[in-house]
Amino acid sequence: MIVAMQEMATEEQIDFVIEVMVEAGVGVHRTTGATQTILAGVGPTATIDLTKFENLPGVLRVHRISSPYKLAGRGFRPEGTVIEFANGVKLGGQQVVVMAGPCSIENEAQIFETAKRVKSAGASFLRGGAYKPRSSPYAFQGMGIPGLKLMYDAARAHDLLVVSEVMEIAQIEPMLPYVDCFQVGARNMQNFNLLRELGVARKPVLLKRGIAATIEELLLSSEYIMSGGNYDVILCERGIRTYETATRNTMDISAIPVVKKFSHLPIVGDPSHGTGHRDMVAPLARAAVAAGADGILVEVHPNADKSASDAAQTLYPDQFEKLMSELRLIAKAVGRTL
Ligand code: PEP
Ligand code: MN
């Protein structure tokens, strides 16, 4: 950490800051310039709340140098994390992995037809919510475990893996037999109790970025899962809330190279929630692959306009097929396969 003192800081103020740093277990190296004093702190700064230094008398600014996340940081696994799933699909490696399916599981015909279409287009995962976090309590809340069983059967009938959202700790155990990967939704990115439990669940977790979360907060949330011993975490950029109203969210494509730089964890892009509009899904999916995403999560429904949730952003299977052929070209151009 670096503490920059104000130009008019007194010796007493500087000594007091040094004292507080030392008490926090930080070794202090002082540099006294012509006009300003800089205090460089080395030690357990990841676990210290730096804001408490900002308000000490005479302090101008405080900067963190080392990352506050240890397990999620690139340095923990410089070569990057590759997660291998039951049927040999590897996420985080050469292949761009595609997860596709409806926003919600609605009925047997819908999920089986979706599985057939997304598999023939080249997807590896079937996605679909059995538990839906809806903005309104009166909106469709999902089919629960009976729906998840349908999705599991549809996926296995077409050699697909299953990813589905878990909203609370009590759902982990009943969902376990039917999912290959748990999804933590944007609204639960900071549900720390849920994250801790998933840290001991021993199944990969797709962790979505919260609508108002910084990339650092996303990485700190992944740290909750990893600190329980589960290192199989996949991050997901699904758009954040900004002042822009033309799209449902603002898909932060730059999060992809930022995560790649600071973390070893794989990251996938979700252009469906990232844009909220069907005609914008393909351009942002292409952009995510071009930017280095390890996968794409896309909403697809055989009768997209009649989807029980997120109809406006859901692709028809034909549109998904076309997108897949475009993504194959882009993947090849950036040295990946799909
Ligand atoms: C979803 O994937 O359907 C979903 C609810 O996503 P998010 O948590 O990103 O809103
Ligand atoms: Mn959705």
Side-chain angles (χ1 to χ4, degrees):
M1 65 185 284
I2 299 288
V3 180
M5 301 300 296
Q6 293 168 2
E7 287 188 12
M8 68 283 283
T10 64
E11 269 310 305
E12 287 77 47
Q13 289 173 333
I14 295 169
D15 285 345
F16 184 67
V17 174
I18 292 173
E19 194 183 309
V20 177
M21 288 171 81
V22 170
E23 272 170 15
V26 175
V28 184
H29 303 260
R30 175 176 174 168
T31 305
T32 309
T35 54
Q36 192 184 19
T37 293
I38 303 291
L39 304 173
V42 182
T45 51
T47 52
I48 296 173
D49 175 13
L50 296 192
T51 56
K52 76 173 180 185
F53 293 95
E54 278 162 11
N55 293 312
L56 295 180
V59 170
L60 178 67
R61 220 167 273 144
V62 181
H63 299 281
R64 193 188 287 285
I65 303 294
S66 60
S67 67
Y69 39 85
K70 296 293 164 209
L71 301 171
R74 180 49 80 171
F76 182 71
R77 260 189 201 159
E79 72 283 10
T81 286
V82 180
I83 301 171
E84 191 162 351
F85 289 89
N87 60 359
V89 169
K90 289 188 187 142
L91 204 156
Q94 180 79 1
Q95 194 194 347
V96 175
V97 173
V98 177
M99 306 171 165
C103 181
S104 316
I105 305 156
E106 296 168 15
N107 56 60
E108 186 172 346
Q110 172 238 22
I111 200 68
F112 272 79
E113 176 64 12
T114 309
K116 189 171 103 190
R117 298 296 303 269
V118 302
K119 175 69 187 185
S120 76
S124 300
F125 274 82
L126 183 61
R127 65 140 285 147
Y131 298 106
K132 296 304 304 176
R134 305 305 301 281
S135 300
S136 163
Y138 310 116
F140 176 56
Q141 304 286 308
M143 289 180 73
I145 292 296
L148 196 57
K149 284 184 182 168
L150 288 178
M151 181 157 80
Y152 178 83
D153 290 343
R156 290 303 190 255
H158 294 279
D159 190 29
L160 287 162
L161 295 157
V162 171
V163 58
S164 196
E165 177 163 356
V166 57
M167 285 175 58
E168 55 167 310
I169 292 171
Q171 292 164 354
I172 296 176
E173 206 58 41
M175 285 179 74
L176 262 176
Y178 308 111
V179 294
D180 299 290
C181 182
F182 284 109
Q183 174 175 322
V184 174
R187 293 157 189 83
N188 271 313
M189 189 204 85
Q190 289 184 312
N191 181 341
F192 300 123
N193 292 333
L194 176 63
L195 300 180
R196 276 199 196 284
E197 278 303 308
L198 289 169
V200 292
R202 299 287 184 270
K203 273 242 166 129
V205 178
L206 176 87
L207 177 64
K208 288 189 150 199
R209 182 178 181 185
I211 62 167
T214 63
I215 297 169
E216 181 171 294
E217 287 165 339
L218 172 64
L219 291 170
L220 281 168
S221 286
S222 75
E223 192 86 9
Y224 268 91
I225 301 169
M226 297 180 81
S227 62
N230 185 356
Y231 295 166
D232 291 341
V233 180
I234 304 151
L235 304 173
C236 178
E237 167 58 41
R238 47 78 72 208
I240 49 174
R241 176 135 327 160
T242 67
Y243 48 79
E244 183 53 70
T245 55
T247 46
R248 180 180 179 184
N249 292 292
T250 296
M251 177 121 175
D252 181 11
I253 294 291
S254 60
I256 296 164
V258 171
V259 162
K260 288 283 163 202
K261 180 173 183 178
F262 294 114
S263 177
H264 55 85
L265 294 174
I267 178 161
V268 309
D270 169 359
S272 304
H273 297 87
T275 62
H277 298 279
R278 187 175 301 141
D279 59 334
M280 298 174 194
V281 171
L284 271 295
R286 297 192 299 252
V289 173
D294 298 294
I296 295 291
L297 182 82
V298 191
E299 289 185 335
V300 181
H301 188 300
N303 203 345
D305 277 311
K306 293 193 178 159
S307 298
S309 52
D310 287 350
Q313 67 193 33
T314 299
L315 296 187
Y316 281 92
D318 288 349
Q319 295 174 314
F320 177 64
E321 268 163 33
K322 181 168 179 286
L323 171 60
M324 289 295 279
S325 56
E326 293 166 354
L327 294 183
R328 264 181 212 108
L329 293 174
I330 294 170
K332 193 167 169 220
V334 295
R336 311 283 291 259
T337 52
L338 190 147

